[in-house]
Amino acid sequence: MKNEINGKTKIIGIIGRSIENSLSPLIHNQIILKYSLNFCYLPFQTTKTNLGKAIQGIKALNIRGVNITFPYKEKVIKFLDEVEESARRIGAVNTIVNNKGILTGYNTDVIGFKKSLQEDGKFAIKGEKAVILGAGGVSRAVVYALLEEGIEGICIFNRTPEKAEKIKKDLSPFFPGSNINIFPLEEERLKDKIEEAHLLVNATSLGMSPKIDNTPLPDEKLFHSDLLVYDLIYYPAKTLFLRQAEKAGAKIINGLPMLVYQGIESFYLWTGLKPESKEILETIQRIA
Ligand code: NAP
């Protein structure tokens, strides 16, 4: 396991607004180390005003590719040469590949979410009902992943219901017969809908460090033991939402497996190498 920077080292990295606490550099540089590859993954912090210049810089500096994170996953699309179909439908890109000066955008959050749900959550998706709290950028990828796998029904609860309506309007044409219902977050029907569901996802940022006393669910009695409760947040590893769900006897999963799997998928797009995901996840769980 040798890691040496030299004239042939290929650069990959992450572009975002505040990425000081991002785990992506750790994940990718662990993979690079493990497979002794001549790559290096770097953080590139940029402002909204400089985003276009930063994307041009990928070409100018012959960077192999980057991840795109909050809040630029949607804004970045206009600076790309090509966008892969599912990323275009979702309207968000989290990975850019530079192929001889042609920049192509992908969305690996979809596959990351799906894989974590199926492998870590042992959740089959098809024919199930899900409640999703939140309608921001990541919620779009979550809804897309569930529809692609044949979920029977999705209820989205969001503080700003118009944003959830937009997700429904944008995505349902690609999935004829899809069943998506929208409600405001502070809605009494949350109780009934959670009772009917087997999957409850927190796709809001409520509970994320440093505001760890926040939770999107107003009442912990709404959890039940027949639920898989999934919090997309990975810092802290166990949010208040997950702690309350666990207390109610529900099975829980946090956002780390998804983060690792989407990263592995991006890594594959840049290098053609698909690392062993369970081993990488265990390493990151141990050292993060
Ligand atoms: P985003 O686009 O900013 O969306 C934030 C969501 O949280 C929106 O639904 C927003 O509601 C809701 N929200 C924020 N503050 C709220 C409040 N005070 N009360 C009620 N609702 C509130 O963010 P995002 O990119 O979708 O990310 C959401 C979360 O997912 C973050 O915690 C992020 O760390 C996590 N994430 C995890 C992964 C992973 O790989 N595990 C990947 C991406 C994101 P409004 O629409 O009403 O504003």
Side-chain angles (χ1 to χ4, degrees):
M1 290 215 300
K2 199 169 145 216
N3 200 14
E4 224 171 54
I5 308 277
N6 57 37
K8 292 181 185 146
T9 303
K10 293 192 174 67
I11 302 299
I12 46 183
I14 182 165
I15 292 180
R17 187 174 62 196
S18 38
I19 45 180
E20 296 93 339
N21 297 321
S22 169
L23 285 180
S24 292
L26 180 71
I27 294 170
H28 288 277
N29 288 315
Q30 279 297 317
I31 300 172
I32 290 166
L33 208 58
K34 180 172 164 36
Y35 291 91
S36 301
L37 301 172
N38 199 355
F39 276 79
C40 182
Y41 188 100
L42 299 170
F44 299 113
Q45 189 156 327
T46 194
T47 58
K48 186 179 160 194
T49 327
N50 282 329
L51 181 62
K53 286 186 205 155
I55 301 303
Q56 282 304 313
I58 298 172
K59 288 189 190 187
L61 298 171
N62 196 27
I63 290 169
R64 174 62 181 138
V66 292
N67 283 129
I68 299 291
T69 190
F70 184 79
Y72 303 137
K73 288 183 186 181
E74 288 136 52
K75 293 182 186 78
V76 79
I77 290 181
K78 65 170 183 266
F79 301 114
L80 302 178
D81 299 304
E82 293 168 359
V83 179
E84 182 269 332
E85 192 176 343
S86 61
R88 189 162 32 78
R89 288 175 171 187
I90 295 163
V93 157
N94 79 330
T95 306
I96 298 174
V97 178
N98 178 8
N99 262 328
K100 299 192 172 86
I102 306 291
L103 301 186
T104 306
Y106 297 83
N107 189 310
T108 66
D109 281 337
V110 173
I111 193 154
F113 177 71
K114 239 189 242 184
K115 191 171 154 85
S116 60
L117 200 53
Q118 291 166 333
E119 293 190 7
D120 300 82
K122 306 280 177 247
F123 192 81
I125 306 178
K126 194 173 169 61
E128 294 285 2
K129 287 183 181 158
V131 170
I132 299 171
L133 311 175
V138 74
S139 178
R140 298 181 76 86
V142 165
V143 172
Y144 189 87
L146 294 175
L147 291 174
E148 217 174 36
E149 290 303 304
I151 191 111
E152 189 184 307
I154 299 175
C155 290
I156 310 175
F157 289 79
N158 197 42
R159 177 178 63 178
T160 317
E162 298 75 27
K163 274 167 76 179
E165 290 290 355
K166 175 96 171 60
I167 297 182
K168 178 177 174 176
K169 183 168 166 277
D170 291 348
L171 299 188
S172 48
F174 303 114
F175 302 95
S178 57
N179 173 16
I180 306 176
N181 290 290
I182 312 297
F183 304 97
L185 192 56
E186 300 299 330
E187 160 70 51
E188 56 190 38
R189 264 172 295 178
L190 197 51
K191 181 175 184 300
D192 300 342
K193 296 301 176 191
I194 292 178
E195 246 166 45
E196 289 169 14
H198 287 131
L199 175 66
L200 172 63
V201 182
N202 176 25
T204 75
S205 44
L206 290 171
M208 194 164 69
S209 183
K211 295 185 176 168
I212 57 169
D213 294 332
N214 280 349
T215 170
L217 211 60
D219 182 357
E220 64 181 296
K221 290 196 229 37
L222 298 182
F223 291 110
H224 59 81
S225 59
D226 226 8
L227 274 176
L228 171 63
V229 177
Y230 192 139
D231 199 329
L232 295 172
I233 294 171
Y234 50 84
Y235 191 62
K238 215 181 258 184
T239 54
L240 177 58
F241 181 71
L242 287 189
R243 280 185 275 128
Q244 290 178 338
E246 196 173 40
K247 211 168 111 197
K251 187 173 173 183
I252 60 166
I253 174 170
N254 74 8
L256 193 60
M258 172 174 168
L259 184 79
V260 169
Y261 300 154
Q262 62 78 27
I264 284 176
E265 214 47 43
S266 303
F267 198 81
Y268 172 70
L269 290 169
W270 300 320
T271 65
L273 184 135
K274 200 162 258 187
E276 214 286 289
S277 54
K278 281 280 169 267
E279 211 181 317
I280 301 295
L281 177 58
E282 277 164 24
T283 307
I284 302 302
Q285 276 165 336
R286 212 175 42 246
I287 62 178

